[in-house]
Amino acid sequence: GENVEQHPSTLSVQEGDSAVIKCTYSDSASNYFPWYKQELGKGPQLIIDIRSNVGEKKDQRIAVTLNKTAKHFSLHITETQPEDSAVYFCAASRTGANNLFFGTGTRLTVIP
Amino acid sequence: KAGVTQTPRYLIKTRGQQVTLSCSPISGHRSVSWYQQTPGQGLQFLFEYFSETQRNKGNFPGRFSGRQFSNSRSEMNVSTLELGDSALYLCASSLEVPTNEKLFFGSGTQLSVL
Protein backbone atom coordinates (compact mmCIF):
# COMPACT_ATOMS: atom_id res chain seq x y z
CA GLY A 1 0.00 0.00 0.00
CA GLU A 2 0.85 3.68 0.02
CA ASN A 3 3.43 5.03 2.47
CA VAL A 4 3.45 8.74 3.25
CA GLU A 5 6.33 10.33 5.14
CA GLN A 6 6.02 13.81 6.62
CA HIS A 7 8.68 16.22 7.89
CA PRO A 8 9.32 17.90 10.21
CA SER A 9 7.38 16.47 13.12
CA THR A 10 7.51 19.78 14.95
CA LEU A 11 8.01 23.29 13.63
CA SER A 12 8.19 26.61 15.46
CA VAL A 13 8.13 29.92 13.62
CA GLN A 14 7.82 33.56 14.56
CA GLU A 15 4.56 35.26 13.73
CA GLY A 16 4.75 36.67 10.22
CA ASP A 17 7.33 34.17 9.02
CA SER A 18 6.65 31.39 6.53
CA ALA A 19 6.25 27.69 7.35
CA VAL A 20 6.93 24.78 5.03
CA ILE A 21 5.93 21.16 5.61
CA LYS A 22 7.07 18.41 3.26
CA CYS A 23 5.68 14.99 2.42
CA THR A 24 6.82 12.14 0.21
CA TYR A 25 4.71 9.27 -1.06
CA SER A 26 5.58 5.86 -2.43
CA ASP A 27 2.72 4.91 -4.77
CA SER A 28 3.23 6.49 -8.19
CA ALA A 29 -0.46 5.90 -8.91
CA SER A 30 -1.55 8.30 -6.15
CA ASN A 31 -3.34 11.24 -7.69
CA TYR A 32 -5.02 13.13 -4.85
CA PHE A 33 -3.13 15.01 -2.13
CA PRO A 34 -5.07 16.85 0.58
CA TRP A 35 -3.77 18.72 3.61
CA TYR A 36 -5.61 18.78 6.92
CA LYS A 37 -5.33 20.97 10.00
CA GLN A 38 -6.28 19.51 13.36
CA GLU A 39 -6.82 21.64 16.42
CA LEU A 40 -7.01 20.26 19.94
CA GLY A 41 -10.23 18.39 20.55
CA LYS A 42 -11.39 18.60 16.96
CA GLY A 43 -11.35 16.44 13.89
CA PRO A 44 -9.05 17.18 10.94
CA GLN A 45 -10.21 20.07 8.78
CA LEU A 46 -9.43 20.13 5.05
CA ILE A 47 -7.45 23.29 4.24
CA ILE A 48 -6.28 22.67 0.68
CA ASP A 49 -5.95 19.81 -1.79
CA ILE A 50 -4.30 19.20 -5.12
CA ARG A 51 -4.66 16.64 -7.86
CA SER A 52 -1.86 15.13 -9.89
CA ASN A 53 -2.70 17.10 -13.03
CA VAL A 54 -1.78 20.35 -11.25
CA GLY A 55 1.65 21.44 -10.02
CA GLU A 56 0.66 24.19 -7.63
CA LYS A 57 -2.44 25.58 -5.97
CA LYS A 58 -2.92 28.65 -3.80
CA ASP A 59 -5.61 29.80 -1.43
CA GLN A 60 -4.80 33.11 0.23
CA ARG A 61 -1.86 32.47 2.60
CA ILE A 62 -1.73 28.74 1.89
CA ALA A 63 -0.17 27.01 -1.10
CA VAL A 64 0.60 23.44 -2.03
CA THR A 65 3.15 22.28 -4.58
CA LEU A 66 3.42 18.84 -6.14
CA ASN A 67 6.38 17.19 -7.83
CA LYS A 68 5.11 13.95 -9.36
CA THR A 69 8.51 12.90 -10.66
CA ALA A 70 10.08 13.09 -7.23
CA LYS A 71 6.87 11.98 -5.52
CA HIS A 72 6.77 14.76 -3.02
CA PHE A 73 4.43 17.59 -2.14
CA SER A 74 4.68 20.51 0.22
CA LEU A 75 2.49 22.90 2.18
CA HIS A 76 3.51 26.53 2.37
CA ILE A 77 1.96 28.95 4.84
CA THR A 78 2.97 32.59 4.51
CA GLU A 79 2.55 35.42 7.02
CA THR A 80 1.86 32.94 9.81
CA GLN A 81 -0.49 33.91 12.62
CA PRO A 82 -0.94 32.43 16.12
CA GLU A 83 -4.21 30.82 15.00
CA ASP A 84 -2.23 28.78 12.47
CA SER A 85 -0.84 26.80 15.43
CA ALA A 86 -2.13 23.24 15.09
CA VAL A 87 -1.15 19.79 13.84
CA TYR A 88 -1.02 19.51 10.07
CA PHE A 89 -1.41 16.24 8.17
CA CYS A 90 -0.68 15.46 4.56
CA ALA A 91 -2.35 12.56 2.81
CA ALA A 92 -2.26 10.73 -0.49
CA SER A 93 -4.64 8.46 -2.35
CA ARG A 94 -5.05 6.75 -5.70
CA THR A 95 -8.81 6.44 -5.31
CA GLY A 96 -9.81 9.98 -4.45
CA ALA A 97 -10.89 11.12 -1.02
CA ASN A 98 -12.33 7.82 0.14
CA ASN A 99 -9.20 5.93 1.17
CA LEU A 100 -6.54 8.32 2.35
CA PHE A 101 -3.08 7.41 3.59
CA PHE A 102 -1.92 10.00 6.09
CA GLY A 103 1.47 11.29 7.09
CA THR A 104 2.41 11.30 10.75
CA GLY A 105 1.65 14.99 11.29
CA THR A 106 3.55 18.20 11.96
CA ARG A 107 2.91 20.23 15.09
CA LEU A 108 3.23 23.86 14.05
CA THR A 109 3.66 26.51 16.73
CA VAL A 110 3.51 30.17 15.76
CA ILE A 111 5.18 32.34 18.37
CA PRO A 112 3.60 35.79 18.80
CA LYS B 1 -25.23 23.25 6.63
CA ALA B 2 -24.47 21.01 9.60
CA GLY B 3 -21.15 19.18 9.61
CA VAL B 4 -20.42 15.55 10.30
CA THR B 5 -21.90 14.58 13.67
CA GLN B 6 -20.51 11.80 15.81
CA THR B 7 -21.97 10.38 18.99
CA PRO B 8 -21.08 9.83 21.70
CA ARG B 9 -18.18 12.23 22.18
CA TYR B 10 -16.53 10.11 24.87
CA LEU B 11 -16.80 6.46 25.83
CA ILE B 12 -15.21 4.37 28.53
CA LYS B 13 -15.37 0.60 28.22
CA THR B 14 -13.61 -2.38 29.73
CA ARG B 15 -11.72 -5.13 27.96
CA GLY B 16 -13.93 -7.74 26.37
CA GLN B 17 -16.95 -5.46 25.95
CA GLN B 18 -18.25 -4.25 22.63
CA VAL B 19 -19.03 -0.73 21.51
CA THR B 20 -21.07 0.97 18.81
CA LEU B 21 -20.26 4.43 17.49
CA SER B 22 -22.59 6.54 15.41
CA CYS B 23 -22.04 9.00 12.60
CA SER B 24 -24.36 11.31 10.69
CA PRO B 25 -22.78 12.63 7.48
CA ILE B 26 -23.23 16.06 5.97
CA SER B 27 -26.60 16.30 4.29
CA GLY B 28 -26.37 15.00 0.74
CA HIS B 29 -23.15 13.08 1.31
CA ARG B 30 -23.48 9.41 0.52
CA SER B 31 -19.97 8.18 1.27
CA VAL B 32 -18.93 7.64 4.89
CA SER B 33 -15.43 6.65 5.97
CA TRP B 34 -14.05 5.72 9.38
CA TYR B 35 -10.53 6.33 10.65
CA GLN B 36 -8.73 5.43 13.85
CA GLN B 37 -6.33 7.99 15.30
CA THR B 38 -3.74 7.08 17.93
CA PRO B 39 -0.54 8.83 19.04
CA GLY B 40 1.54 5.86 17.96
CA GLN B 41 -0.05 4.87 14.65
CA GLY B 42 -1.50 8.19 13.54
CA LEU B 43 -4.55 8.24 11.29
CA GLN B 44 -5.43 4.86 9.84
CA PHE B 45 -8.25 4.02 7.45
CA LEU B 46 -10.79 1.52 8.74
CA PHE B 47 -13.46 1.29 6.04
CA GLU B 48 -15.68 3.24 3.71
CA TYR B 49 -19.36 2.80 2.91
CA PHE B 50 -21.35 4.02 -0.03
CA SER B 51 -25.01 3.28 -0.66
CA GLU B 52 -25.12 0.87 2.28
CA THR B 53 -22.23 -1.20 0.86
CA GLN B 54 -18.70 -1.46 2.15
CA ARG B 55 -16.58 -0.22 -0.73
CA ASN B 56 -13.08 -0.08 0.79
CA LYS B 57 -11.53 -1.70 3.80
CA GLY B 58 -8.32 -1.02 5.68
CA ASN B 59 -6.07 -3.45 7.44
CA PHE B 60 -7.94 -4.02 10.70
CA PRO B 61 -9.10 -7.28 12.30
CA GLY B 62 -12.63 -8.56 11.88
CA ARG B 63 -13.54 -7.25 15.36
CA PHE B 64 -14.00 -3.92 13.63
CA SER B 65 -17.13 -3.73 11.54
CA GLY B 66 -19.52 -1.14 10.25
CA ARG B 67 -22.69 -0.53 8.39
CA GLN B 68 -24.52 2.23 6.60
CA PHE B 69 -28.22 2.88 6.57
CA SER B 70 -30.43 4.06 3.74
CA ASN B 71 -30.26 7.65 5.03
CA SER B 72 -26.42 7.45 4.79
CA ARG B 73 -25.98 7.44 8.56
CA SER B 74 -23.32 4.97 9.63
CA GLU B 75 -22.32 2.98 12.66
CA MET B 76 -19.14 1.16 13.50
CA ASN B 77 -18.84 -1.63 15.99
CA VAL B 78 -15.83 -2.99 17.83
CA SER B 79 -16.30 -6.33 19.56
CA THR B 80 -14.17 -7.93 22.27
CA LEU B 81 -12.42 -4.68 23.07
CA GLU B 82 -8.68 -4.68 23.73
CA LEU B 83 -6.59 -2.06 25.51
CA GLY B 84 -5.00 -1.16 22.18
CA ASP B 85 -8.37 -0.13 20.79
CA SER B 86 -8.22 3.04 22.86
CA ALA B 87 -8.22 5.78 20.25
CA LEU B 88 -10.06 8.66 18.67
CA TYR B 89 -12.44 7.25 16.08
CA LEU B 90 -13.17 9.69 13.31
CA CYS B 91 -15.97 9.58 10.82
CA ALA B 92 -15.78 11.48 7.56
CA SER B 93 -18.17 12.01 4.68
CA SER B 94 -17.80 13.06 1.09
CA LEU B 95 -19.93 14.01 -1.87
CA GLU B 96 -19.57 11.64 -4.78
CA VAL B 97 -18.53 14.11 -7.44
CA PRO B 98 -15.83 12.70 -9.71
CA THR B 99 -12.56 14.69 -9.56
CA ASN B 100 -14.05 16.97 -6.92
CA GLU B 101 -14.29 14.74 -3.90
CA LYS B 102 -13.40 16.23 -0.55
CA LEU B 103 -13.45 14.45 2.77
CA PHE B 104 -14.94 16.21 5.78
CA PHE B 105 -14.33 14.91 9.29
CA GLY B 106 -16.39 14.96 12.43
CA SER B 107 -14.90 15.72 15.85
CA GLY B 108 -14.60 12.05 16.69
CA THR B 109 -15.47 9.69 19.50
CA GLN B 110 -12.75 9.27 22.10
CA LEU B 111 -12.81 5.64 23.22
CA SER B 112 -10.94 4.55 26.33
CA VAL B 113 -10.63 0.84 27.07
CA LEU B 114 -9.73 -0.01 30.66
Side-chain angles (χ1 to χ4, degrees), chain B residues 12-31:
Chain B
I12 300 175
K13 293 287 186 178
T14 56
R15 279 182 300 172
Q17 287 186 311
Q18 74 165 18
V19 67
T20 299
L21 314 181
S22 181
C23 172
S24 292
I26 293 171
S27 178
H29 287 195
R30 294 169 63 194
S31 169

Side-chain angles (χ1 to χ4, degrees), chain A residues 42-56:
Chain A
K42 298 183 179 180
Q45 176 191 3
L46 178 69
I47 55 172
I48 195 167
D49 58 359
I50 192 169
R51 296 191 179 268
S52 58
N53 58 347
V54 176
E56 183 176 2

